[in-house]
Amino acid sequence: MSKQQPLLKSYNLSGIELSNRVVMAPMTRSRASEGNVPTDLMAKYYKQRASAGLIITEGTQISQQGVGYPWTPGIHTDGQIEGWKKITKAVHEEGGHIFAQIWHVGSVSHPIYHNGDKPVAPSAVKPEGETFTAKGMKEFVKPRALDINEIPGIVEDYANAARNAVEAGFDGVEIHGANGYLIDQFIKDGTNKRDDQYGGSIANRSRFALEVVEAVSNAVGAEKTGIRFSPVGNNYGISDSNPKEVFNYLLKQLNNFDLAYVHLMEPMGDISDLPNYPQKVTEFFRPFYNGTLITNAGFDQKSGNKAIENGTADLVAYGQLFLANPDLPERFAAHAGLNEPDPDTFYGGDEKGYTDYPFMDESEKVAAE
Ligand code: 8OZ
């Protein structure tokens, strides 16, 4: 009998027994309905993927102010909470576990979502490029810098969204602190030009993230709270000049919270010309964080098993592979072939490229034994 693969071993995630270490990474799929309400089709999609040790949902807005894309779900209205209840129930009926990723896009938005008003951000720094809207691509606008008096209300929106998530049946929440959105905009010096207690030093730039972590932990329990970061990411040109120091500080602070986990993203492109950037993010930061680490981006079965075996991460999140293979852990177990993801159907649309990716058939299972 062959030795069990590290990815397929169970894991105790602050009291939740995960059946394996294959996590479904958060992925925006833009298929919510009117009012950003989750649909029955979304319930089918997540249910199909319930054999993940843990599902992390797509980014889910904490408020209307936090919206930045069409058809992305929210978790701040009664209708949205009711929609999510069907999803958590479907996943739990299959024996799965699911965290909601709670999200505020900050500047990465557009006045069309805010009755013509500007999006908000730590500072008035325009994101680079254009944004996809229901009316085609539109150039980003220069956001409005938040007044310091507005910040506690946004922190409370995160806590409220976390409470709503638990009411909707989620096992916990992941705070979206990555990919150039509001929390990342506060952390990184490219976008945070504030001169109050939320800007300047690393401790000041980390303050908003840590206040959100504290508020969410107090609202639903630290054991139900995770956070995701992309230390070397530069989405929309939002980046930091010294991610090693900044995220060392943040991770050390997070050791005080006893969170469910910290989720780190590896680089999405070539960063070899950036001298202060760790090339292997999770490996670099592992020594500074005492709790559960999830790693994500670019892993396959082999490198995922290796990351767990050598202690780099406790869990490995798969995005596109899980999108295209609803039974990914079973396929790993069987060393079976994988369906290819179709980028044309990633965002928006119906069941095509969403709930119609095939499960393994019987012959593949037999062949793999
Ligand atoms: C792709 C398209 C829209 C949003 C992220 C939530 O990058 C996203 C996202 C990804 O984290």
Side-chain angles (χ1 to χ4, degrees):
M1 217 175 82
S2 63
K3 170 165 121 350
Q4 194 183 28
Q5 297 175 50
L7 279 168
L8 301 179
K9 289 188 182 158
S10 62
Y11 188 77
N12 188 313
L13 184 74
S14 43
I16 308 174
E17 194 64 20
L18 308 182
S19 57
N20 59 61
R21 291 145 185 257
V22 183
V23 173
M24 179 176 166
M27 280 175 287
T28 289
R29 304 303 312 274
S30 290
R31 282 166 167 89
S33 62
E34 193 63 30
N36 297 334
V37 171
T39 65
D40 293 350
L41 186 64
M42 287 168 63
K44 182 173 178 188
Y45 165 75
Y46 283 113
K47 183 187 173 97
Q48 286 177 336
R49 288 159 181 76
S51 64
L54 177 69
I55 293 173
I56 305 165
T57 70
E58 60 208 282
T60 300
Q61 293 98 216
I62 61 167
S63 62
Q64 181 60 34
Q65 190 192 60
V67 176
Y69 302 89
W71 314 298
T72 49
I75 190 142
H76 55 93
T77 70
D78 290 344
Q80 292 163 354
I81 296 169
E82 290 310 307
W84 281 119
K85 277 185 186 167
K86 293 189 234 168
I87 294 172
T88 59
K89 184 163 176 275
V91 169
H92 289 149
E93 277 170 4
E94 297 295 310
H97 294 100
I98 181 164
F99 273 39
Q101 193 194 48
I102 55 174
W103 186 35
H104 187 310
V105 302
S107 64
V108 183
S109 186
H110 194 275
I112 57 170
Y113 304 109
H114 313 290
N115 296 319
D117 289 343
K118 289 177 180 172
V120 299
S123 307
V125 178
K126 189 162 91 82
E128 284 175 11
E130 296 188 318
T131 184
F132 173 77
T133 77
K135 295 196 173 123
M137 297 306 287
K138 292 202 188 283
E139 191 156 344
F140 285 112
V141 300
K142 199 184 240 201
R144 172 175 75 76
L146 284 162
D147 187 274
I148 194 163
N149 298 322
E150 295 176 276
I151 293 176
I154 300 178
V155 172
E156 183 49 33
D157 287 343
Y158 280 96
N160 192 45
R163 277 189 291 267
N164 290 346
V166 170
E167 185 192 331
F170 282 102
D171 299 291
V173 295
E174 174 175 286
I175 298 163
H176 194 341
N179 293 349
Y181 300 114
L182 184 64
I183 293 174
D184 207 26
Q185 290 158 27
F186 268 94
I187 295 170
K188 290 180 175 167
D189 58 7
T191 37
N192 186 338
K193 309 291 181 192
R194 299 181 73 92
D195 55 12
D196 59 12
Q197 74 217 50
Y198 290 94
S201 66
I202 289 175
N204 279 356
R205 284 187 276 126
S206 302
R207 190 177 310 281
F208 180 68
L210 294 171
E211 285 182 356
V212 171
V213 168
E214 184 164 13
V216 169
S217 299
N218 287 339
V220 299
E223 76 288 356
K224 288 191 169 68
T225 304
I227 187 163
R228 171 160 153 118
F229 294 121
S230 53
V232 301
N234 69 346
N235 299 33
Y236 314 103
I238 295 163
S239 63
D240 194 81
S241 59
N242 196 344
K244 283 186 181 170
E245 266 194 56
V246 172
F247 288 87
N248 272 358
Y249 173 84
L250 263 167
L251 289 173
K252 283 183 181 156
Q253 296 298 311
L254 290 174
N255 282 330
N256 301 324
F257 284 90
D258 244 344
L259 297 178
Y261 64 81
V262 170
H263 185 173
L264 294 178
M265 289 179 71
E266 293 296 320
M268 304 289 272
D270 182 13
I271 56 162
S272 54
D273 57 337
L274 295 163
N276 291 328
Y277 277 44
Q279 303 295 314
K280 294 194 169 173
V281 169
T282 316
E283 212 173 286
F284 179 83
F285 289 111
R286 171 77 275 186
F288 306 104
Y289 186 64
N290 301 334
T292 296
L293 271 188
I294 306 181
T295 190
N296 171 235
F299 287 88
D300 60 14
Q301 180 176 3
K302 191 166 171 222
S303 58
N305 274 319
K306 198 163 150 233
I308 296 174
E309 195 152 56
N310 68 19
T312 300
D314 303 291
L315 305 163
V316 182
Y318 292 89
Q320 292 185 16
L321 286 187
F322 231 126
L323 178 158
N325 296 276
D327 49 358
L328 189 64
E330 291 89 336
R331 284 179 190 254
F332 283 172
H335 295 280
L338 298 173
N339 302 321
E340 282 293 319
D342 167 20
D344 290 345
T345 51
F346 281 179
Y347 308 113
D350 51 19
E351 59 275 2
K352 186 167 179 297
Y354 192 52
T355 51
D356 64 353
Y357 283 105
F359 285 72
M360 267 191 304
D361 64 32
E362 288 307 312
S363 66
E364 284 174 279
K365 287 183 195 167
V366 174
E369 272 165 9

